[in-house]
Amino acid sequence: MMRTVNGFEENFEMKFRKLAFKLHLYLGLVVGIFLAAIALTGSLLVFGPEIERFFNPQLLQVIPQAERIPLENVLQIVEKAYPQNQALSILLPRAAREVCQVSMLSKSEEIVSVYVNPYSGEINGARLWKETFTGFIFTLHAELAGGELGHLVVGICGIVMLGLTFTGLVLWTGWRNLARGFSINWQAHWQRTVFDLHNVSGIVSVAFLILISATGTAIIFYAPVESTLYWLTNEKPQPALTSHPHSSSSRQNLDKILHQVNTVWTEAKTTFISLPLTPEATFQVRKKFPNDAHPNGVSTIYLDQYSGEILQADSVNSASVANRILNSLYPLHIGSYGGIYLRLAHAIAGLAAIVLFVTGVLMWRQRHLAQFYRKEARQQYEELSPLSQQWPWF
């Protein structure tokens, strides 16, 4: 009876591993090239701001001076220089040498980034966002340069990547020999070395690949994920807030808005202002607490654009369970939750995905060639052997 049970377990394990192997193989072959492109661009985006500053110091860096000009003046200078565009938001300087970045919407509905010296008000330059390094790489990463369809494909690729990581875990050789599962034999035949490299690269990066794939997929399919989280936690999404225009009202001065928000959460730094685009829209000001992993912070203050009255203030430290999960998706995806070393780990994990694709293709190619040569040899044998003609089952 024991032998029967053991035999059944071994047979089940063999079939399960065979199924996992086929899924791993075909999923990797079908979407592997897309995953490699997504992984490479993702690794570059982890250090996108640093790369931008390195290659464009004339746009993104200034010489610090004693005082900055009023933020309202900065906006007026930009609007005067680009009257055909509509100002969308303002990214405030994080350090003394950084510029003030104003995002605008052109008539052709393209995002234009304008870089302004916060001390002198001088415009350093302007670029279409999609033509910046970050914009170009992000378009490839999030859409594969394919618009809405590409966006959907990237989301599906994230799900496939999760499937590849879990099937790869099943197939990992270290379950039976831990030391073997973490070693690469560089002296062996190249086929064995490629297999070891694939095996080790996968297990070393698997935790990061699961984290990056899961959060990336959730970001792509944000709306259904958000609805599901609110349903699971029995919470309700925040209702839309509106400003109350009057016949004689005009938009509140930006510097007064800044003064107003700086009285809230004094330990948090103001980073980003979303400008109201309609008469009913509100100012949305982002602030970053020291413990907030998001680069811009997720704590948001909503203000009436006419009176400057604070309508609502959502702190990262008092967010609901669903919102805490939603707020963590982006920091977890880019590795900003643990400093420079975890960001570097995320970038390396992206490169590991490329190694997995290349080694996987090499192994599949070698396996395919080996099957082809065996088939050719068998056909030649059957043609040359009289016995094989007489006994087809031999």
Side-chain angles (χ1 to χ4, degrees):
M1 183 67 178
M2 184 62 70
R3 290 181 180 178
T4 303
V5 172
N6 290 340
F8 174 78
E9 289 179 351
E10 290 177 2
N11 188 43
F12 176 79
E13 180 183 354
M14 186 179 299
K15 288 183 177 180
F16 182 69
R17 287 180 62 84
K18 187 175 181 180
L19 174 62
F21 174 78
K22 287 185 176 181
L23 285 173
H24 194 79
L25 173 63
Y26 295 127
L27 287 176
L29 288 176
V30 170
V31 300
I33 188 65
F34 297 121
L35 289 173
I38 295 168
L40 176 59
T41 51
S43 294
L44 291 172
L45 284 173
V46 169
F47 291 99
E50 289 82 358
I51 296 172
E52 284 280 11
R53 285 195 293 270
F54 179 80
F55 285 107
N56 301 284
Q58 75 285 357
L59 285 178
L60 302 175
Q61 294 184 3
V62 296
I63 299 175
Q65 298 177 24
E67 292 184 3
R68 293 176 179 174
I69 65 173
L71 189 61
E72 185 69 34
N73 290 5
V74 170
L75 182 59
Q76 290 175 358
I77 290 169
V78 172
E79 289 180 330
K80 184 177 180 180
Y82 301 93
Q84 71 279 14
N85 295 344
Q86 182 180 24
L88 301 175
S89 61
I90 303 174
L91 183 64
L92 300 176
R94 311 296 172 83
R97 293 177 57 85
E98 292 187 4
V99 297
C100 190
Q101 182 175 325
V102 180
S103 294
M104 308 189 81
L105 185 67
S106 69
K107 285 187 175 180
S108 58
E109 296 190 347
E110 293 182 304
I111 304 297
V112 180
S113 298
V114 184
Y115 310 97
V116 185
N117 187 320
Y119 302 100
S120 66
E122 179 185 358
I123 296 178
N124 288 1
R127 299 181 295 175
L128 287 175
W129 182 79
K130 68 179 184 180
E131 294 180 357
T132 66
F133 171 83
T134 304
F136 174 72
I137 297 298
F138 180 82
T139 302
L140 290 177
H141 181 71
E143 302 176 356
L144 293 171
E148 288 297 324
L149 178 60
H151 195 66
L152 177 62
V153 170
V154 170
I156 295 172
C157 285
I159 298 173
V160 171
M161 189 63 187
L162 287 172
L164 286 171
T165 54
F166 287 118
T167 53
L169 275 173
V170 172
L171 298 170
W172 182 52
T173 58
W175 297 119
R176 295 181 178 178
N177 187 333
L178 191 62
R180 185 72 190 87
F182 283 100
S183 63
I184 301 176
N185 188 346
W186 298 103
Q187 306 302 322
H189 189 274
W190 70 269
Q191 296 174 20
R192 182 67 197 191
T193 303
V194 166
F195 173 81
D196 288 347
L197 189 59
H198 187 87
N199 196 46
V200 174
S201 297
I203 196 61
V204 169
S205 61
V206 66
F208 289 104
L209 291 177
I210 291 174
L211 179 63
I212 294 169
S213 302
T215 54
T217 303
I219 291 171
I220 293 290
F221 300 115
Y222 188 86
V225 169
E226 181 185 42
S227 300
T228 302
L229 284 173
Y230 283 136
W231 177 76
L232 290 173
T233 58
N234 197 27
E235 299 172 19
K236 293 183 179 180
Q238 172 186 297
L241 300 172
T242 59
S243 296
H244 303 287
H246 303 285
S247 57
S248 59
S249 295
S250 59
R251 178 183 61 77
Q252 189 66 251
N253 183 286
L254 282 178
D255 297 284
K256 290 184 178 180
I257 292 294
L258 278 180
H259 176 74
Q260 185 81 329
V261 300
N262 286 337
T263 63
V264 183
W265 311 320
T266 55
E267 70 276 27
K269 187 173 183 179
T270 305
T271 60
F272 184 84
I273 300 176
S274 181
L275 302 171
L277 305 180
T278 64
E280 293 77 23
T282 62
F283 279 107
Q284 296 181 29
V285 182
R286 299 271 285 271
K287 300 193 75 171
K288 178 176 171 61
F289 282 90
N291 64 330
D292 192 345
H294 196 288
N296 293 327
V298 294
S299 301
T300 307
I301 300 174
Y302 302 84
L303 304 96
D304 187 297
Q305 66 168 296
Y306 305 104
S307 66
E309 176 190 358
I310 294 178
L311 303 175
Q312 185 168 306
D314 297 331
S315 169
V316 66
N317 297 319
S318 59
S320 65
V321 173
N323 285 327
R324 284 179 183 269
I325 296 173
L326 293 170
N327 291 341
S328 68
L329 292 178
Y330 184 67
L332 289 174
H333 188 67
I334 66 173
S336 63
Y337 56 91
I340 185 66
Y341 294 110
L342 276 176
R343 289 176 66 200
L344 185 61
H346 274 242
I348 293 173
L351 298 179
I354 300 172
V355 172
L356 289 169
F357 169 66
V358 173
T359 54
V361 169
L362 288 174
M363 288 189 297
W364 167 79
R365 179 61 178 165
Q366 186 58 33
R367 178 186 176 88
H368 182 73
L369 287 175
Q371 291 175 342
F372 173 77
Y373 289 137
R374 283 198 298 269
K375 184 178 179 180
E376 283 288 307
R378 184 173 180 178
Q379 288 178 347
Q380 291 179 10
Y381 172 78
E382 291 174 349
E383 290 174 359
L384 295 175
S385 173
L387 187 61
S388 68
Q389 299 296 323
Q390 202 171 15
W391 305 95
W393 57 84
F394 180 74

